[in-house]
Amino acid sequence: MSEDKDVLLDRDGPFTTITMNRPKRRNALSRTFLEDLTEAFQRTGDTDARGIILAANGPVFSAGHDFADMAGASHADVRDLLRVCTDLMRTIQSVPQVVVARVHGLATAAGCQLVASCDLAVAAESAGFAAPGGKGGWFCHTPLVAISHNIGRKRAAEMALTGEIFDAATAADWGLINYAVPDEDLDKATHELLTRATQGSPRSKALGKQAMYAQLDRPEQDAYAYAIEVMAASSQTPEAQEGMNAFLEKRHPTWPA
C-alpha cells in the first residue's frame, strides 16, 4: 500500500507490520478505517507470515472511535459500527499468526481495546492507557469487554469508572501489556518478543492460538474437556510427531512445509 493510505502493510522476512496511518485524526477508528484494518489482518492471515506487528504513525497509538462517525448517528447505525469494530477485534484473534501490538503515545477507549485484543503487547514507557468514558457522557462499554478480560474485574472497574490515564508500567503490572520498555527500545523489544513467540511449528501454533481463545471463557471443567479433545487430536499431526521424535532422538525438529 502507498504511504497515503490509512493502513500500511510492510513485510520484512517472516513478519508483517500493519501500521495505522491516520496521524492527523490520532488514528481514530472510523468505520472505513476499521474495515480497512480488518481487511489488512485478513489478507495477512492468508499469507505465510509467521507474525504480525500492529503499529501506528503519529503522536498516539489510537484515540479510539472517531466521533465524527457517531455524533448524531442513529441507534441502529451506532450498533452496526460497534459490530464492525468487534469484527476487527475478533479477526485479530482468529488469524493464525501471533499478533503483537507496538504501542506508543496514548491508547484510549477503543484504541485500548485494540491493544487488549492483540495476543501480546509491548509499550514505550511514555505510553498511556485509558477508558475515558467513565468521566464523560458515554461509557466505554465495548472496550471494557477486552480490557476486563486482560486485567480482571477490580482493575477494569478502576480504569472504567475513573476514566484516568494509566502509565505503561501500571499497564504491564496489571497484565494489559506484556512489557513496558524505554522508548528507544520499543522496536527492538517488540521484534524480540515476536521472535520468541513464533518459534516452533506455525501450524501447531495457529491451532494452539485458536484453542487458547476458545477455552478462556469456559468453566474449568468445560475448558479441560475441550482442551483434551483438541490436544489429543493434534497429537496425530505430523508436527506433533516430529516434535516428539526430535526430542527423543536429541535433534532439532524439521517442521513439515
Side-chain angles (χ1 to χ4, degrees), residues 46-63:
D46 289 336
T47 71
D48 63 352
R50 294 290 305 273
I52 300 172
I53 296 170
L54 177 61
N57 286 335
V60 303
F61 183 77
S62 175

Side-chain angles (χ1 to χ4, degrees), residues 11 13 17 29 52 62 68 76 80 86 104 110 132 188 214 219 223 226 233 256:
R11 178 71 182 262
T17 299
L29 300 171
I52 300 172
S62 175
D80 188 59
T86 301
H104 75 284
K188 179 182 177 183
Y226 170 80

Side-chain angles (χ1 to χ4, degrees), residues 3-6 20-29 33 56-63 66:
E3 293 296 320
D4 62 347
K5 297 290 186 180
D6 287 346
M20 296 184 286
N21 191 41
R22 297 186 79 205
K24 292 181 180 178
R25 296 292 300 166
R26 298 169 68 84
N27 294 314
L29 300 171
F33 192 34
N57 286 335
V60 303
F61 183 77
S62 175
D66 193 334

Side-chain angles (χ1 to χ4, degrees), residues 60-83:
V60 303
F61 183 77
S62 175
H65 284 297
D66 193 334
F67 285 176
D69 271 8
M70 296 181 139
S74 70
H75 182 183
D77 285 344
V78 174
R79 180 195 294 118
D80 188 59
L81 189 145
L82 293 173
R83 286 173 174 165

Side-chain angles (χ1 to χ4, degrees), residues 2-231:
S2 63
E3 293 296 320
D4 62 347
K5 297 290 186 180
D6 287 346
V7 179
L8 308 177
L9 277 80
D10 178 48
R11 178 71 182 262
D12 182 14
F15 303 148
T16 293
T17 299
I18 297 175
T19 303
M20 296 184 286
N21 191 41
R22 297 186 79 205
K24 292 181 180 178
R25 296 292 300 166
R26 298 169 68 84
N27 294 314
L29 300 171
S30 68
R31 174 187 293 273
T32 301
F33 192 34
L34 287 166
E35 291 171 343
D36 288 347
L37 281 168
T38 302
E39 180 187 5
F41 274 99
Q42 290 171 336
R43 287 176 54 192
T44 305
D46 289 336
T47 71
D48 63 352
R50 294 290 305 273
I52 300 172
I53 296 170
L54 177 61
N57 286 335
V60 303
F61 183 77
S62 175
H65 284 297
D66 193 334
F67 285 176
D69 271 8
M70 296 181 139
S74 70
H75 182 183
D77 285 344
V78 174
R79 180 195 294 118
D80 188 59
L81 189 145
L82 293 173
R83 286 173 174 165
V84 170
C85 182
T86 301
D87 285 344
L88 170 60
M89 307 303 164
R90 289 176 172 168
T91 298
I92 289 170
Q93 295 183 348
S94 68
V95 295
Q97 292 88 355
V98 179
V99 181
V100 180
R102 175 202 177 280
V103 188
H104 75 284
L106 290 174
T108 61
C112 191
Q113 179 186 6
L114 198 54
V115 176
S117 297
C118 290
D119 304 320
L120 303 166
V122 180
E125 288 176 344
S126 61
F129 303 84
K135 61 180 181 181
W138 194 27
F139 200 79
C140 289
H141 300 278
T142 50
L144 259 293
V145 174
I147 292 169
S148 63
H149 278 67
N150 280 253
I151 67 177
R153 189 165 161 182
K154 289 294 191 291
R155 288 166 173 171
E158 184 175 350
M159 282 193 75
L161 297 173
T162 67
E164 295 170 352
I165 296 172
F166 291 81
D167 61 26
T170 301
D173 181 57
W174 285 6
L176 182 62
I177 62 173
N178 296 87
Y179 301 104
V181 301
D183 290 32
E184 63 272 17
D185 294 337
L186 181 57
D187 283 329
K188 179 182 177 183
T190 301
H191 280 83
E192 285 181 348
L193 177 58
L194 189 54
T195 298
R196 290 192 289 117
T198 51
Q199 300 177 82
S201 160
R203 285 191 290 187
S204 173
K205 198 174 298 288
L207 176 60
K209 173 178 168 175
Q210 180 186 52
M212 178 184 73
Y213 285 116
Q215 62 84 21
L216 278 177
D217 296 326
R218 299 178 185 225
E220 184 175 283
Q221 183 174 346
D222 292 346
Y224 269 120
Y226 170 80
I228 285 169
E229 295 305 319
V230 175
M231 196 162 186

